[in-house]
């Protein structure tokens, strides 16, 4: 049986976020005003273009640093390609990732590549954050407003793209969303005094929201009409373009202990499935005090982005979706 490794007392004292409570990244305090954020993520191609895949994979990996309230410093590449894979395409994957990390203010400092039957690419990312500004999944506070920084629908659209059913403009919208960094969202959340956050990725909106509820021992009430969707995503969902991840996520959410799931009968079933669908490089979901919510939305607009107030935090551990 595998056992959790024990930590030396000094190391344990400085590990602010680790195996004790599942979160988006590990956080280790170096000094009174500096903590290191560490995470790793990689996946197979989600789009056909090699450069874009590298950029999206990098944005997705760095998102976990932003979900903890941090800033990116540097990254190490983690890659696997078939031996016969076109080396020109490999170079494009690397270039897309390097450009995206540079956009974040960081640099790719090295990495490791292996021969693999299925192409994979991602990053091990190192970031920094002030120890007093770490955002965690368990930081929801009853009475706060919930903010979402990107629309949903990347999973549906990329699945439809693989089926040849998504138009070029719809695919372009999904790529733009997946490529957009959560850097502004992390800064706005920090400056607004947020304490709880996560990014919406593989477990879908409901999966990650439920994780926050379990960790916070608080609840969320979400207005289904306020949840933003990428252009074209709902039509593709109505046509049945869901990934296998959606069904796995449904089982995952239903199996999580410590949170009750309440979805109003009036909420369309297709929307519920979209809330279960896996997302790639989705936005941040975080909470702020009610009197700061409008200012947060204004700050996003000043930064050239959009965000949405979609609900509130409750005292009881429930995930409630109302029409």
């Amino acid at each position: 049986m595998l056992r959790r490794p024990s930590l030396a007392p000094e190391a344990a004292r400085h590990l602010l976020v680790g195996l004790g409570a599942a979160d988006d990244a590990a956080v280790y305090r170096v000094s009174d005003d500096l903590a290191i954020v560490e995470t790793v993520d990689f996946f197979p191609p989600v789009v056909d273009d090699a450069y874009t895949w590298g950029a999206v994979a990098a944005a997705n990996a760095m998102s976990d640093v932003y979900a903890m309230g941090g800033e990116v410093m540097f990254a190490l590449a983690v890659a696997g390609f078939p031996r016969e894979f076109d080396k020109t395409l490999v170079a494009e994957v690397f270039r897309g990732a390097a450009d995206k990390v540079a956009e974040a203010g960081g640099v790719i400092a090295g990495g490791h590549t292996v021969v693999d039957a299925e192409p994979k690419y991602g990053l091990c990312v190192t970031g920094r954050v002030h120890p007093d500004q770490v955002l965690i999944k368990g930081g929801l506070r009853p009475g706060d407003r919930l903010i979402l920084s990107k629309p949903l629908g990347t999973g549906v659209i990329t699945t439809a793209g693989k089926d040849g059913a998504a138009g070029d403009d719809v695919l372009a919208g999904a790529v733009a969303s997946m490529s957009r960094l959560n850097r502004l969202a992390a800064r706005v959340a920090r400056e607004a005094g947020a304490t709880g956050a996560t990014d919406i990725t593989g477990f879908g909106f409901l999966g990650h929201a439920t994780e926050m509820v379990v960790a916070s021992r608080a609840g969320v009430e979400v207005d289904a009409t306020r949840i933003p969707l990428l252009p074209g995503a709902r039509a593709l969902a109505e046509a049945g373009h869901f990934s296998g991840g959606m069904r796995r996520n449904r089982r995952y959410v239903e199996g999580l202990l410590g949170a009750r799931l309440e979805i109003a009968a009036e909420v369309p079933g297709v929307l519920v499935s979209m809330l279960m669908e896996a997302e790639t490089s989705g936005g941040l979901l975080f909470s702020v005090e009610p009197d700061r919510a409008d200012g947060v939305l204004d700050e996003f607009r000043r930064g050239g982005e959009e965000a949405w107030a979609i609900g509130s935090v409750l005292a009881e551990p429930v995930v409630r979706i109302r029409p």
Side-chain angles (χ1 to χ4, degrees):
M1 182 178 69
L2 292 177
R3 296 182 181 275
R4 176 184 170 185
S6 59
L7 293 173
E10 186 69 10
R13 186 168 67 87
H14 292 294
L15 186 64
L16 303 182
V17 182
L19 290 173
D23 221 304
D24 292 305
V27 182
Y28 190 90
R29 181 174 52 213
V30 177
S31 65
D32 290 343
D33 59 0
L34 176 64
I36 296 299
V37 186
E38 195 74 23
T39 184
V40 60
D41 205 331
F42 58 94
F43 50 64
V46 292
V47 291
D48 291 335
D49 183 74
Y51 178 92
T52 303
W53 169 33
V56 169
N60 184 77
M62 291 187 288
S63 184
D64 283 339
V65 170
Y66 295 130
M68 308 303 293
E71 278 285 344
V72 172
M73 297 167 62
F74 66 92
L76 302 176
V78 181
F81 296 100
R83 195 176 300 277
E84 66 278 8
F85 203 81
D86 188 334
K87 300 302 185 290
T88 302
L89 295 180
V90 173
E92 281 297 283
V93 175
F94 288 172
R95 187 171 70 89
D99 286 351
K100 187 56 62 173
V101 174
E103 181 186 332
V107 63
I108 293 183
H112 187 65
T113 304
V114 299
V115 174
D116 198 339
E118 182 180 28
K120 300 178 182 68
Y121 185 82
L123 298 175
C124 177
V125 189
T126 300
R128 63 178 179 271
V129 67
H130 193 288
D132 296 336
Q133 293 182 319
V134 177
L135 305 179
I136 58 173
K137 287 182 180 179
L140 294 178
R141 299 169 299 197
D144 278 4
R145 298 293 306 280
L146 284 174
I147 308 293
L148 181 63
S149 72
K150 286 187 187 182
L152 305 179
T154 60
V156 168
I157 292 173
T158 55
T159 298
K162 294 173 185 176
D163 297 337
D168 290 345
D169 56 339
V170 173
L171 280 170
V175 166
S177 180
M178 293 187 293
S179 302
R180 176 154 59 86
L181 298 175
N182 280 320
R183 189 178 189 182
L184 174 65
R187 177 179 66 78
V188 173
R190 287 195 310 267
E191 293 177 353
T195 55
T198 193
D199 60 334
I200 306 302
T201 51
F203 288 127
F205 177 86
L206 277 178
H208 291 295
T210 303
E211 288 178 332
M212 293 186 79
V213 165
V214 172
S216 302
R217 295 184 178 87
V220 295
E221 182 175 70
V222 176
D223 184 340
T225 65
R226 292 181 176 271
I227 296 174
L229 302 176
L230 286 166
R234 180 151 185 166
L236 292 171
E238 289 171 345
H241 294 286
F242 289 105
S243 71
M246 185 275 287
R247 296 167 184 83
R248 291 191 294 272
N249 287 346
R250 186 181 292 272
R251 293 193 294 270
Y252 174 70
V253 171
E254 292 170 351
L256 279 174
L257 301 177
R260 190 169 72 253
L261 182 62
E262 296 180 1
I263 300 176
E266 296 86 351
V267 178
V270 68
L271 180 57
V272 175
S273 293
M274 292 185 75
L275 298 180
M276 299 279 190
E277 177 63 285
E279 300 285 331
T280 298
S281 190
L284 294 194
L285 177 65
F286 62 95
S287 67
V288 295
E289 295 176 354
D291 59 354
R292 295 192 174 188
D294 289 342
V296 162
L297 302 184
D298 289 341
E299 191 62 28
F300 271 94
R301 296 187 189 103
R302 281 191 286 272
E305 298 181 11
E306 193 73 21
W308 294 262
I310 61 170
S312 57
V313 181
L314 308 174
E316 56 177 328
V318 59
V319 179
R320 181 175 296 146
I321 310 297
R322 58 182 175 84

